[in-house]
Amino acid sequence: MKEEQRKAPTFWQQAMDDLAKRDPVMQRLVSQYNDSTLHSRGDAFTTLVRAIIGQQISVKAAASVWQKLADTLSKITPESLHSIDPGTLRACGLSARKISYLQDLSLRFINGGYDETVWQKMNDEALIAHLIQIKGIGRWTAEMFLIFYMQRPDVLPLADIGLQRAVSIHYNANQPVEKNKLQTIATNWRPWRSVATWYLWRSLDPIPVDY
């Protein structure tokens, strides 16, 4: 999707200002990485595909697999992804398990099982519970969908390794961070925990996290 078609959250500026005022680490990160923001690709299927590809691998590795897939398919749609030979998907760097997840997801979209107007009415936890019923989508993948596609402002993906690593670096003297401590630190970021998470990711990788 072309850059101009992608949408930044309407709340981004307010979130930046609020986080910078109340948290010295956020103030530094917001100032340092003011050249980009989180963007929605405006397509639910694409976001879920990218999130499934990104499960348990680095941002760089996920970007590489996605690029190979994009080069293989002229357009990534439920129909094109469902019909492609699994061997071709393996050649793009996808595991057998992820291929199974993506083909199941494609079939669900082909069969028209989703209604975005219903998603919009759900709170974060209800939508996560709804999404994890899909094969291959666990809580982390659902949280990525909420952050990037739904642009929910206050999602905290506690199990995200990148978030844990960044909090360790910036808030805990490079020592491992227990989830309860991470939750406590993140209390100060409410109601902008999605935005704080994005800036912490941004501090780790030259490539902005993008689903």
Side-chain angles (χ1 to χ4, degrees):
M1 183 172 289
K2 293 179 182 178
E3 188 67 28
E4 62 268 25
Q5 293 176 291
R6 297 170 62 185
K7 299 176 183 177
T10 56
F11 54 77
W12 196 264
Q13 186 64 50
Q14 183 185 353
M16 285 170 53
D17 293 344
D18 286 354
L19 288 168
K21 285 176 185 174
R22 71 175 75 148
D23 185 317
V25 172
M26 284 294 133
Q27 183 180 43
R28 176 165 50 82
L29 295 181
V30 165
S31 175
Q32 187 173 355
Y33 300 106
N34 62 3
D35 59 334
S36 56
T37 67
L38 179 153
H39 284 91
S40 169
R41 293 178 172 275
D43 182 80
F45 180 72
T46 298
T47 297
L48 287 171
V49 170
R50 288 188 75 116
I52 288 172
I53 289 172
Q55 291 171 359
Q56 299 179 320
I57 61 176
S58 70
V59 173
K60 184 177 179 181
S64 174
V65 173
W66 172 261
Q67 190 58 54
K68 288 175 184 175
L69 185 62
D71 290 343
T72 300
L73 296 172
S74 57
K75 191 173 183 182
I76 298 173
T77 65
E79 292 76 14
S80 67
L81 194 53
H82 187 260
S83 63
I84 195 171
D85 179 72
T88 304
L89 293 177
R90 280 195 296 273
C92 293
L94 287 160
S95 66
R97 180 174 294 178
K98 287 185 181 179
I99 291 169
S100 171
Y101 294 164
L102 292 176
Q103 294 196 324
D104 181 73
L105 178 70
S106 299
L107 190 59
R108 285 173 178 266
F109 269 80
I110 289 168
N111 291 335
Y114 299 105
D115 184 348
E116 188 168 338
T117 59
V118 175
W119 293 346
Q120 295 289 356
K121 293 174 184 175
M122 292 180 176
N123 66 30
D124 292 352
E125 287 303 321
L127 184 50
I128 288 169
H130 173 71
L131 290 168
I132 63 176
Q133 296 175 43
I134 302 171
K135 180 180 178 183
I137 295 181
R139 184 175 181 90
W140 178 86
T141 305
E143 288 168 338
M144 295 305 103
F145 185 77
L146 264 65
I147 292 171
F148 285 90
Y149 180 72
M150 302 300 292
Q151 295 195 334
R152 297 288 175 90
D154 197 35
V155 178
L156 181 70
L158 275 174
D160 185 84
I161 294 170
L163 175 61
Q164 293 172 9
R165 185 154 61 94
V167 170
S168 167
I169 292 168
H170 295 291
Y171 291 89
N172 207 44
N174 285 310
Q175 298 303 304
V177 180
E178 298 291 334
K179 288 183 181 179
N180 60 348
K181 182 170 183 179
L182 200 163
Q183 278 184 305
T184 300
I185 292 168
T187 301
N188 194 37
W189 306 333
R190 287 180 178 271
W192 312 117
R193 291 181 297 174
S194 300
V195 181
T197 297
W198 187 90
Y199 277 105
L200 287 162
W201 283 333
R202 187 73 181 86
S203 75
L204 296 178
D205 287 291
I207 304 170
V209 177
D210 188 4
Y211 293 109

Short mmCIF file of all heavy atoms in Angstrom, two decimals, residues 45 78 82 102-113:
data_model
loop_
_atom_site.label_atom_id
_atom_site.label_comp_id
_atom_site.label_asym_id
_atom_site.label_seq_id
_atom_site.Cartn_x
_atom_site.Cartn_y
_atom_site.Cartn_z
N PHE A 45 -6.96 -7.92 6.70
CA PHE A 45 -6.31 -9.17 6.30
C PHE A 45 -4.80 -9.01 6.26
O PHE A 45 -4.06 -9.84 6.79
CB PHE A 45 -6.84 -9.61 4.93
CG PHE A 45 -6.24 -10.90 4.45
CD1 PHE A 45 -6.57 -12.11 5.04
CD2 PHE A 45 -5.32 -10.91 3.40
CE1 PHE A 45 -6.00 -13.31 4.60
CE2 PHE A 45 -4.75 -12.09 2.95
CZ PHE A 45 -5.09 -13.30 3.56
N PRO A 78 -6.87 -12.67 0.33
CA PRO A 78 -7.27 -14.00 0.81
C PRO A 78 -7.27 -15.04 -0.31
O PRO A 78 -6.83 -16.18 -0.12
CB PRO A 78 -8.68 -13.76 1.37
CG PRO A 78 -8.68 -12.32 1.77
CD PRO A 78 -7.81 -11.62 0.76
N HIS A 82 -4.64 -18.16 -0.41
CA HIS A 82 -5.23 -19.47 -0.20
C HIS A 82 -4.91 -20.43 -1.35
O HIS A 82 -4.77 -21.64 -1.15
CB HIS A 82 -6.75 -19.36 -0.03
CG HIS A 82 -7.40 -20.66 0.36
ND1 HIS A 82 -8.05 -21.46 -0.55
CD2 HIS A 82 -7.46 -21.30 1.56
CE1 HIS A 82 -8.50 -22.54 0.08
NE2 HIS A 82 -8.16 -22.47 1.35
N LEU A 102 -2.03 -19.26 7.85
CA LEU A 102 -2.37 -18.27 6.82
C LEU A 102 -3.44 -18.79 5.87
O LEU A 102 -4.32 -18.03 5.44
CB LEU A 102 -1.11 -17.87 6.05
CG LEU A 102 -0.06 -17.08 6.84
CD1 LEU A 102 1.18 -16.84 5.99
CD2 LEU A 102 -0.63 -15.76 7.33
N GLN A 103 -3.39 -20.07 5.55
CA GLN A 103 -4.40 -20.61 4.65
C GLN A 103 -5.76 -20.70 5.34
O GLN A 103 -6.80 -20.47 4.71
CB GLN A 103 -3.93 -21.96 4.09
CG GLN A 103 -2.70 -21.80 3.18
CD GLN A 103 -2.42 -22.99 2.31
OE1 GLN A 103 -2.64 -24.12 2.73
NE2 GLN A 103 -1.93 -22.75 1.11
N ASP A 104 -5.76 -21.02 6.62
CA ASP A 104 -7.02 -21.04 7.37
C ASP A 104 -7.59 -19.62 7.47
O ASP A 104 -8.79 -19.41 7.28
CB ASP A 104 -6.79 -21.61 8.77
CG ASP A 104 -8.07 -21.67 9.59
OD1 ASP A 104 -8.91 -22.55 9.29
OD2 ASP A 104 -8.24 -20.86 10.51
N LEU A 105 -6.72 -18.65 7.75
CA LEU A 105 -7.16 -17.26 7.83
C LEU A 105 -7.73 -16.80 6.49
O LEU A 105 -8.79 -16.15 6.44
CB LEU A 105 -5.97 -16.37 8.22
CG LEU A 105 -6.25 -14.87 8.30
CD1 LEU A 105 -7.13 -14.54 9.50
CD2 LEU A 105 -4.94 -14.08 8.39
N SER A 106 -7.05 -17.14 5.41
CA SER A 106 -7.52 -16.77 4.07
C SER A 106 -8.92 -17.31 3.81
O SER A 106 -9.79 -16.60 3.30
CB SER A 106 -6.55 -17.29 3.01
OG SER A 106 -5.27 -16.75 3.17
N LEU A 107 -9.14 -18.57 4.15
CA LEU A 107 -10.43 -19.20 3.92
C LEU A 107 -11.53 -18.51 4.72
O LEU A 107 -12.65 -18.30 4.23
CB LEU A 107 -10.36 -20.68 4.28
CG LEU A 107 -11.56 -21.53 3.87
CD1 LEU A 107 -11.78 -21.48 2.35
CD2 LEU A 107 -11.36 -22.98 4.31
N ARG A 108 -11.21 -18.12 5.95
CA ARG A 108 -12.19 -17.42 6.78
C ARG A 108 -12.58 -16.09 6.16
O ARG A 108 -13.75 -15.71 6.17
CB ARG A 108 -11.62 -17.21 8.19
CG ARG A 108 -11.60 -18.47 9.05
CD ARG A 108 -10.88 -18.22 10.36
NE ARG A 108 -10.89 -19.39 11.22
CZ ARG A 108 -11.79 -19.62 12.17
NH1 ARG A 108 -12.78 -18.76 12.37
NH2 ARG A 108 -11.73 -20.70 12.91
N PHE A 109 -11.60 -15.37 5.61
CA PHE A 109 -11.93 -14.10 4.97
C PHE A 109 -12.69 -14.32 3.66
O PHE A 109 -13.61 -13.54 3.34
CB PHE A 109 -10.64 -13.30 4.71
CG PHE A 109 -10.27 -12.38 5.84
CD1 PHE A 109 -9.64 -12.87 6.98
CD2 PHE A 109 -10.57 -11.03 5.77
CE1 PHE A 109 -9.31 -12.02 8.03
CE2 PHE A 109 -10.24 -10.17 6.82
CZ PHE A 109 -9.61 -10.66 7.96
N ILE A 110 -12.33 -15.35 2.92
CA ILE A 110 -13.05 -15.66 1.68
C ILE A 110 -14.52 -15.95 1.97
O ILE A 110 -15.42 -15.53 1.23
CB ILE A 110 -12.39 -16.87 0.97
CG1 ILE A 110 -11.03 -16.46 0.38
CG2 ILE A 110 -13.30 -17.41 -0.15
CD1 ILE A 110 -10.17 -17.62 -0.08
N ASN A 111 -14.75 -16.64 3.07
CA ASN A 111 -16.13 -17.01 3.44
C ASN A 111 -16.90 -15.87 4.11
O ASN A 111 -18.06 -16.04 4.48
CB ASN A 111 -16.12 -18.24 4.35
CG ASN A 111 -15.67 -19.50 3.62
OD1 ASN A 111 -15.81 -19.59 2.40
ND2 ASN A 111 -15.14 -20.46 4.35
N GLY A 112 -16.23 -14.73 4.27
CA GLY A 112 -16.91 -13.54 4.76
C GLY A 112 -17.38 -13.61 6.19
O GLY A 112 -18.46 -13.12 6.52
N GLY A 113 -16.54 -14.17 7.05
CA GLY A 113 -16.95 -14.37 8.43
C GLY A 113 -16.70 -13.20 9.37
O GLY A 113 -16.79 -13.36 10.58
#
